[in-house]
Amino acid sequence: MILPIYLYGHPVLRKVTKDISSDYPDLKILLDNMFETMYNADGVGLAAPQIGLEDRILVVDLSPYEEYDPSCAGFKKAFINAHIIERGEEEEIMEEGCLSIPHIHEKVPRSNRIRIQYLDENLQPHDEVYEGYKARVIQHEYDHLEGIMFVDHISGIRKQLIRAKLNKIMSGNVNCSYKIKRHVKK
Ligand code: NI
């Protein structure tokens, strides 16, 4: 089932998510829905707050990056109760976008290497190191689990330049090819 993607300005995107318990109901269905929602929006990653949940879950599929990095082919994964426990000191700058911030792309510095502990879709524990595109996308999605958005990382001047666009998104004045959830202020 394709779910609406919550837009920048919605308070759920600013919540720090919580680990889920092993008896979390319908986890497989949720993961399927997250992948379907991500693919429908042509995304390579999606975090639970983007569909309105405060659960520590993210999904990625880096297959579209195969032409730049062959090891991204078929890199489809769910990271549950994810915790980044180390970040490399070296940073790389690359342009990013976000399904919750349509039509905005900005250069974002990120660590070139991360070590992450998580559970897979069968709740089996893993402790892995990632670099390159994998480290970048996982850090972007992981930020969502911490209530952080990629525009928080860009410099003050750039941020001023996109402020008007962000305000438009916050007021729900945005066109999107996929289903979105606007935040209506009461
Ligand atoms: Ni995002």
Side-chain angles (χ1 to χ4, degrees):
M1 185 172 55
I2 294 167
L3 304 168
I5 294 176
Y6 285 52
L7 284 188
Y8 183 85
H10 198 290
V12 74
L13 292 168
R14 292 306 190 178
K15 296 277 168 63
V16 177
T17 56
K18 294 186 186 73
D19 281 349
I20 66 162
S21 62
S22 55
D23 60 353
Y24 189 91
D26 298 327
L27 179 61
K28 286 242 154 45
I29 294 171
L30 171 65
L31 295 176
D32 284 349
N33 289 344
M34 287 180 73
F35 278 114
E36 198 182 344
T37 300
M38 179 184 86
Y39 292 136
N40 176 65
D42 289 326
V44 292
L46 188 76
Q50 294 181 278
I51 53 162
L53 299 177
E54 292 174 41
D55 299 320
R56 204 161 189 87
I57 301 172
L58 68 89
V59 299
V60 300
D61 187 340
L62 301 193
S63 300
Y65 292 142
E66 181 183 357
E67 59 177 304
Y68 313 108
D69 175 357
S71 76
C72 286
F75 189 85
K76 176 187 177 184
K77 268 174 167 301
F79 292 81
I80 297 161
N81 296 353
H83 294 275
I84 291 178
I85 57 165
E86 282 173 37
R87 290 182 202 254
E89 279 175 24
E90 235 175 89
E91 288 195 331
E92 284 169 359
I93 294 173
M94 201 188 273
E95 200 167 84
E96 292 187 13
C98 179
L99 298 178
S100 294
I101 314 178
H103 314 307
I104 294 184
H105 295 87
E106 291 290 328
K107 287 180 177 150
V108 180
R110 299 221 184 249
S111 296
N112 63 335
R113 186 175 176 278
I114 56 160
R115 182 177 162 202
I116 186 168
Q117 293 179 338
Y118 67 97
L119 308 177
D120 63 24
E121 65 277 16
N122 299 311
L123 298 181
Q124 295 305 302
H126 298 270
D127 184 332
E128 288 165 356
V129 170
Y130 291 109
E131 294 179 343
Y133 285 101
K134 292 168 192 157
R136 171 154 304 262
V137 175
I138 292 168
Q139 284 177 93
H140 175 115
E141 301 310 329
Y142 185 82
D143 268 358
H144 281 300
L145 304 181
E146 299 285 320
I148 299 168
M149 314 276 289
F150 84 90
V151 291
D152 300 342
H153 293 295
I154 66 180
S155 70
I157 291 172
R158 283 302 308 168
K159 193 144 188 191
Q160 274 176 26
L161 289 170
I162 60 167
R163 177 50 61 194
K165 283 192 199 169
L166 288 174
N167 286 342
K168 265 187 146 181
I169 295 171
M170 278 203 277
S171 63
N173 182 9
V174 64
N175 284 317
C176 234
S177 61
Y178 44 89
K179 223 185 340 175
I180 51 175
K181 170 98 175 164
R182 296 175 168 84
H183 176 53
V184 182
K185 284 201 185 108
K186 298 204 176 74

